[in-house]
């Protein structure tokens, strides 16, 4: 259960959403509910001041597990940055800032003359958290870091998105025969409750496109999500890259897998105090709301913006391809405590029952990019 302060904050968020529902005639789309619960100014999960990452928060991302993930990714960044003069790294939503710290450390230690490390962040609370950590960990590199509130134009360099696409608000829908129903949120007394209504045209068309590309109709009663903003998000990022490479990490699947017949309740997940559950309508503002990523949608948008799909692999395969073994070369000479810690990081990052299989990495390229080892083995682009 949340503590008293958490419950009081959640009540404020709920009151804000109930007022929006009242102004909207009794219900709002789930995408609107998710947006307000996560991003309402000063209230939403990512815009309030509570801990989100690590043991004191609600979930752990790969960079929070330890420095290994960031160092392996930095190896691949270095291969690209060496080919592009006067280039930069752009991280989309930097979380706590730990990934930025590890990449900056590695690049500078290995002689890469990085001029700028850009962070696109929409949350004032997270900007403050990132600034504190970077200043505490690598104060000598602070002058290289710049925060943005919009995508740059004609960007040259490496773009990194780690667990960003899953936080985009999604529409939830249900099939009723051949009709598409929009899942909406209303109020029953003080609690939020699901409502169903005929889907607006944009949602019905999105479901029709899904059925056309997977080659079959979704069964009556099938419930799932569609991130109607994902294609535009991916397309906007691709369009801003003049020359460069993008690494996109997230839990997700191909479209065929996402809308498989046995996944009739969708991929929406909630995270609170390191517990995952399926009720997004409780504790608004206190829990993270996410949905797995349809990587086929990302591929379609990026290709439409003129980028090349460089590869699509599991996170485990990305790490194995990208230099994990080099990071462990001195393993036998390390103290026992360090060996145990590295083993812990490797297990969480690579084992299928941990993060190794559910998390994927997609590579997108524009211009004369080097052939990266990241996607050399077990590339799954063909399933997109």
């Amino acid at each position: 259960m949340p503590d008293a302060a958490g419950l009081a904050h959640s009540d404020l968020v709920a009151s804000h959403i109930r007022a929006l529902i009242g102004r909207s005639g009794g219900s709002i789309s789930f995408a609107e509910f998710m947006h307000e619960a996560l991003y309402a100014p000063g209230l939403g999960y990512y815009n309030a001041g509570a801990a989100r990452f690590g043991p004191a928060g609600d979930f752990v991302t790969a960079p929070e597990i330890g420095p290994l993930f960031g160092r392996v990714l930095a190896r691949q960044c270095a291969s690209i940055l060496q080919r592009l003069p006067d280039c930069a790294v752009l991280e989309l939503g930097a979380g706590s800032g730990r990934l930025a710290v590890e990449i900056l450390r590695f690049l500078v230690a290995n002689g890469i003359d990085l001029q700028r490390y850009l962070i696109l962040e929409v949350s004032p609370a997270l900007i403050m958290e990132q600034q504190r950590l970077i200043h505490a960990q690598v104060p000598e590199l602070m002058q290289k870091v710049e925060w943005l509130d919009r995508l740059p134009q004609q960007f040259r360099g490496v773009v990194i998105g780690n667990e960003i696409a899953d936080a985009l608000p999604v529409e939830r829908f249900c099939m009723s025969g051949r009709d598409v129903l929009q899942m909406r949120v209303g109020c029953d007394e003080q609690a939020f409750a699901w409502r169903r209504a005929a889907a607006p045209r944009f949602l019905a068309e999105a479901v029709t496109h899904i059925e056309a590309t997977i080659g079959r109709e979704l069964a009556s009663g099938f419930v799932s999500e569609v991130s109607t903003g994902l294609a535009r998000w991916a397309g906007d990022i691709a369009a801003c890259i003049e020359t460069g490479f993008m690494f996109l990490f997230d839990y997700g699947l191909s479209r065929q897998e996402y809308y498989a017949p046995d996944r009739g309740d969708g991929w929406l997940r909630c995270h609170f105090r390191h517990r995952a559950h399926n009720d997004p309508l409780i504790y608004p503002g206190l829990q993270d709301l996410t949905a797995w990523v349809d990587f086929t949608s990302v591929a379609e948008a990026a290709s439409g913006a003129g980028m090349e799909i460089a590869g699509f692999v599991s996170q485990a395969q990305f790490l194995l391809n990208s230099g994990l073994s080099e990071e462990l070369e001195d393993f036998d000479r390390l103290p026992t405590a360090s060996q145990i810690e590295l083993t812990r990081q490797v297990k969480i990052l690579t084992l299928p029952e941990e993060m190794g299989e559910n998390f994927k990495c997609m590579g997108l390229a524009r211009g004369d990019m080097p052939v990266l080892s990241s996607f050399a083995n077990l590339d799954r682009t063909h399933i997109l």
Side-chain angles (χ1 to χ4, degrees), residues 28-87:
I28 57 176
S29 70
F30 178 73
E32 293 174 281
F33 177 91
M34 183 172 175
H35 180 272
E36 296 302 314
L38 295 180
Y39 303 111
L43 294 172
Y45 181 80
Y46 285 109
N47 281 331
R52 304 160 194 84
F53 310 100
D58 299 302
F59 56 90
V60 176
T61 63
E64 303 293 326
I65 292 165
L68 201 55
F69 177 84
R71 289 182 59 82
V72 173
L73 175 55
R75 286 177 174 271
Q76 297 300 300
C77 294
S79 299
I80 299 164
L81 297 172
Q82 288 170 336
R83 292 274 295 269
L84 294 176
D86 189 29
C87 57

Side-chain angles (χ1 to χ4, degrees), residues 61-123:
T61 63
E64 303 293 326
I65 292 165
L68 201 55
F69 177 84
R71 289 182 59 82
V72 173
L73 175 55
R75 286 177 174 271
Q76 297 300 300
C77 294
S79 299
I80 299 164
L81 297 172
Q82 288 170 336
R83 292 274 295 269
L84 294 176
D86 189 29
C87 57
V89 173
L90 168 62
E91 186 175 356
L92 308 172
S96 70
R98 290 195 179 277
L99 183 57
V101 167
E102 296 305 330
I103 291 176
L104 283 164
R105 276 180 175 158
F106 183 94
L107 294 178
V108 171
N110 286 273
I112 305 299
D113 185 23
L114 181 69
Q115 298 300 310
R116 297 181 301 156
Y117 193 103
L118 308 176
I119 295 176
L120 177 62
E121 184 59 73
V122 299
S123 167

Side-chain angles (χ1 to χ4, degrees), residues 109 152 166 249 273 297 379 384:
D166 65 272
F249 297 89
R273 298 294 184 265
S297 182
D379 182 14
L384 294 169

Side-chain angles (χ1 to χ4, degrees), residues 62 69 249 313-319 349 355-356 359-361:
F69 177 84
F249 297 89
V313 294
S314 69
Q315 178 174 287
Q317 198 60 49
F318 171 85
L319 293 170
L349 292 170
M355 300 179 73
F359 282 77
K360 308 296 192 304
C361 176

Side-chain angles (χ1 to χ4, degrees), residues 61-310:
T61 63
E64 303 293 326
I65 292 165
L68 201 55
F69 177 84
R71 289 182 59 82
V72 173
L73 175 55
R75 286 177 174 271
Q76 297 300 300
C77 294
S79 299
I80 299 164
L81 297 172
Q82 288 170 336
R83 292 274 295 269
L84 294 176
D86 189 29
C87 57
V89 173
L90 168 62
E91 186 175 356
L92 308 172
S96 70
R98 290 195 179 277
L99 183 57
V101 167
E102 296 305 330
I103 291 176
L104 283 164
R105 276 180 175 158
F106 183 94
L107 294 178
V108 171
N110 286 273
I112 305 299
D113 185 23
L114 181 69
Q115 298 300 310
R116 297 181 301 156
Y117 193 103
L118 308 176
I119 295 176
L120 177 62
E121 184 59 73
V122 299
S123 167
L126 286 178
I127 290 174
M128 292 178 62
E129 188 173 341
Q130 294 155 13
Q131 290 174 337
R132 284 194 298 266
L133 184 72
I134 294 170
H135 185 267
Q137 296 288 322
V138 285
E140 72 281 8
L141 302 178
M142 190 74 181
Q143 75 278 5
K144 293 181 179 290
V145 186
E146 178 183 347
W147 279 264
L148 309 177
D149 60 5
R150 67 195 66 182
L151 287 168
Q153 295 182 342
Q154 297 180 318
F155 176 80
R156 291 170 51 83
V158 178
V159 179
I160 299 168
N162 181 57
E163 291 197 53
I164 299 299
D166 65 272
L168 295 174
V170 296
E171 291 283 352
R172 196 153 165 83
F173 69 88
C174 176
M175 301 301 297
S176 177
R178 294 306 309 139
D179 295 328
V180 182
L181 302 181
Q182 183 185 44
M183 303 288 285
R184 299 176 65 83
V185 180
C187 298
D188 282 348
E189 297 181 355
Q190 293 301 307
F192 294 112
W194 291 108
R195 304 280 189 266
R196 297 184 181 187
R201 181 176 177 179
F202 76 89
L203 180 55
E205 290 178 347
V207 173
T208 298
H209 177 66
I210 289 167
E211 292 181 321
T213 54
I214 66 175
R216 56 181 172 78
E217 294 180 348
L218 300 176
S220 184
F222 189 92
V223 176
S224 193
E225 306 83 33
V226 57
S227 181
T228 55
L230 179 61
R232 187 173 71 175
W233 177 82
D236 287 347
I237 296 167
C240 90
I241 301 174
E242 181 183 81
T243 305
F245 199 98
M246 178 175 178
F247 296 98
L248 180 62
F249 297 89
D250 228 314
Y251 36 81
L253 314 109
S254 70
R255 184 169 293 156
Q256 283 280 1
E257 296 167 306
Y258 200 109
Y259 298 102
D262 62 347
R263 294 301 307 190
D265 195 34
W267 297 86
L268 185 67
R269 295 295 177 267
C270 316
H271 299 274
F272 179 74
R273 298 294 184 265
H274 299 278
R275 302 291 190 274
H277 67 93
N278 299 328
D279 188 351
L281 303 187
I282 62 172
Y283 303 146
L286 293 190
Q287 62 174 349
D288 189 27
L289 308 181
T290 69
W292 284 40
V293 176
D294 171 8
F295 273 101
T296 301
S297 182
V298 178
E300 289 173 345
S303 297
M307 292 197 78
E308 175 189 353
I309 311 301

Side-chain angles (χ1 to χ4, degrees), residues 335-355:
T336 300
S338 298
Q339 291 181 345
I340 292 172
E341 171 56 23
L342 271 178
T343 301
R344 181 190 71 87
Q345 292 182 42
V346 172
K347 285 182 175 180
I348 296 174
L349 292 170
T350 63
L351 287 179
E353 63 270 24
E354 296 283 353
M355 300 179 73

